[in-house]
Amino acid sequence: MKTVSTWKSHGGVQGVYTHASDVCGCDMTFAVFVPPQAAEGPLPVLWYLSGLTCTHANVMEKGEYRRLAAELGIIIVCPDTSPRGENVPDDKDDWQFGSGAGFYVDATVEPYARNYRMYTYITEELPALIAREFPADMERQSIFGHSMGGHGALTIALKHPDRYRSCSAFAPIVEPTTAGWSSKAFERYLGSDQDSWRKYDACALVKDGARFSEFLIDQGAADSFLDEGLRPWLFEECCREAGISLTLNMREGYDHSYYFISTFMNDHLRWHHQRLTA
């Protein structure tokens, strides 16, 4: 691991780091905020997965999480959204595929299968690095994210219910297998057999028997992507039928931007903190 930069913030340290990823076959960048309480011992970890076109930097610069994370004593880990590099295949004309659009799946179709393995990266390789290099209590982990990252958080939590104590999302893509701005990426990453897509779809996972204790979702009612790609009511129906507790807050006047995310960031941090310290 190499340190790119560090800044002192709210008594803690906001850092950006890179490492050579065996899983993704390229150098990967990620951000970590370590609160001042780390001087006294390991702290719980909250993973934030970002959305389409984003890097680690979007939430780090616009999410406004550090003040409360420092107060509560939570490490915040912000990975990148895809592999990157000259030797990594990409589609520069499609912002919904390739660089910045890994969708937190393990691709099975070449040439993408060599690098686009974000599911394994987020669930295996990067956690091992965090456990080794940071004062993290890996017995206390939670996960949240935005849009494509909200999709990633929901699906990863449903597949690892014993690892994460809580899961929340801002404007998640809840059924990417049928959403127009994600289904085409699924086909290019995973092939034409749509049954193989279901393990990366929150609604399908719940219908197929996956369970998690509870979810929190905030969704802007003025989000221009609401009807086309997000459709939280689909997940609400699945959770209701499965008996899974879901708090869905429809926020009037809010859109898909970090103005929306930063407004409700503290609500999510407090919600996760209650469950990470229970």
Side-chain angles (χ1 to χ4, degrees), residues 101-120:
F103 277 96
Y104 304 101
V105 305
D106 280 354
T108 56
V109 175
E110 296 296 347
Y112 308 107
R114 293 195 298 271
N115 303 102
Y116 286 84
R117 301 180 61 208
M118 290 301 296
Y119 174 80
T120 296

Side-chain angles (χ1 to χ4, degrees), residues 10-12 33-43 68-74 135:
H10 297 283
F33 176 69
V34 178
Q37 297 92 328
E40 302 170 7
L43 298 176
L68 189 57
E71 177 183 324
L72 298 176
I74 304 174

Side-chain angles (χ1 to χ4, degrees), residues 37-222:
Q37 297 92 328
E40 302 170 7
L43 298 176
V45 179
L46 179 55
W47 296 81
Y48 180 90
L49 306 185
S50 290
L52 285 164
T53 74
C54 292
T55 70
H56 68 282
N58 295 73
V59 68
M60 185 183 79
E61 296 171 354
K62 303 175 184 177
E64 301 181 16
Y65 57 78
R66 277 176 291 273
R67 183 195 62 77
L68 189 57
E71 177 183 324
L72 298 176
I74 304 174
I75 292 173
I76 309 290
V77 180
C78 308
D80 201 350
T81 55
S82 76
R84 300 176 192 269
E86 293 182 1
N87 297 320
V88 175
D90 188 17
D91 185 342
K92 298 185 184 302
D93 295 325
D94 189 348
W95 63 275
Q96 297 171 336
F97 183 80
S99 181
F103 277 96
Y104 304 101
V105 305
D106 280 354
T108 56
V109 175
E110 296 296 347
Y112 308 107
R114 293 195 298 271
N115 303 102
Y116 286 84
R117 301 180 61 208
M118 290 301 296
Y119 174 80
T120 296
Y121 178 71
I122 296 296
T123 60
E124 296 182 18
E125 188 177 41
L126 188 55
L129 181 64
I130 296 298
R132 185 169 65 248
E133 299 288 346
F134 295 90
D137 180 357
M138 303 303 282
E139 296 300 315
R140 293 186 292 163
Q141 297 185 67
S142 292
I143 191 165
F144 68 152
H146 170 231
S147 194
M148 179 184 73
H151 137 74
L154 295 178
T155 57
I156 288 171
L158 282 164
K159 295 170 74 170
H160 298 275
D162 296 329
R163 179 184 302 184
Y164 303 100
R165 296 198 181 185
S166 53
C167 175
S168 71
F170 301 101
I173 307 170
V174 302
E175 195 174 81
T177 58
T178 62
W181 65 345
S182 51
S183 58
K184 60 183 179 180
F186 271 44
E187 183 166 9
R188 295 177 72 181
Y189 286 137
L190 303 172
S192 58
D193 180 8
Q194 295 189 13
D195 286 342
S196 69
W197 302 3
R198 295 181 67 84
K199 63 183 177 180
Y200 299 115
D201 181 304
C203 287
L205 283 167
V206 172
K207 291 176 182 178
D208 291 345
R211 295 294 182 265
F212 196 75
S213 56
E214 60 178 326
F215 294 101
L216 168 65
I217 292 177
D218 273 281
Q219 171 66 61

Side-chain angles (χ1 to χ4, degrees), residues 226-237:
L226 181 58
D227 295 325
E228 173 191 358
L230 306 175
R231 305 171 296 166
W233 49 85
L234 298 177
F235 191 60
E236 184 179 37
E237 181 180 357

